[in-house]
Amino acid sequence: MPSDRDTAGLHRSLGVDRRDRWAWLAAVALFVLGDVATTAVGLNIGAVESNPVALAAIGALGLWPAMLLLKATVLGLVGLLWACSPEQFRAVVPATLAVWGAAVVSINSYVVGVVLA
């Protein structure tokens, strides 16, 4: 198990600072957890998935495997983009994903509200 000293060295080598950590936390909370939760609730109460890629994946794999695969793919690609970005702009990459996640959660929440009304 790596020590705090080992992980701190890794963070420094990747340029992970406080802003990056908060941006990634927001991205995972909103884009992954928020979207998956609101999508699952919506689909379970009768809403319909409108994203054709997600719809195809859910039809082929089921809700949870599809969502995990889609989210892992996007996080992996965004992680690569983050790692290749200039250090002073890295936090913008996960922050943008967090903003996108907030928009998706808002739309999903609206749809859930409409279906329940």
Side-chain angles (χ1 to χ4, degrees):
M1 183 161 177
S3 70
D4 287 340
R5 182 184 287 168
D6 295 337
T7 57
L10 175 62
H11 287 181
R12 275 194 302 281
S13 71
L14 288 174
V16 179
D17 63 11
R18 185 179 301 262
R19 285 180 313 165
D20 291 291
R21 284 191 295 271
W22 280 109
W24 278 112
L25 178 64
V28 169
L30 292 165
F31 180 75
V32 177
L33 301 176
D35 182 26
V36 170
T38 56
T39 297
V41 168
L43 293 177
N44 283 324
I45 63 169
V48 178
E49 178 61 59
S50 63
N51 179 330
V53 174
L55 185 60
I58 291 168
L61 303 171
L63 177 64
W64 297 109
M67 293 301 281
L68 289 173
L69 176 64
L70 293 170
K71 296 304 177 182
T73 301
V74 171
L75 283 177
L77 292 171
V78 170
L80 284 174
L81 179 62
W82 172 83
C84 295
S85 298
E87 190 172 332
Q88 67 269 29
F89 300 115
R90 280 188 179 162
V92 172
V93 175
T96 302
L97 188 60
V99 169
W100 179 257
V104 170
V105 168
S106 297
I107 292 166
N108 287 351
S109 297
Y110 172 77
V111 169
V112 167
V114 167
V115 170
L116 289 175

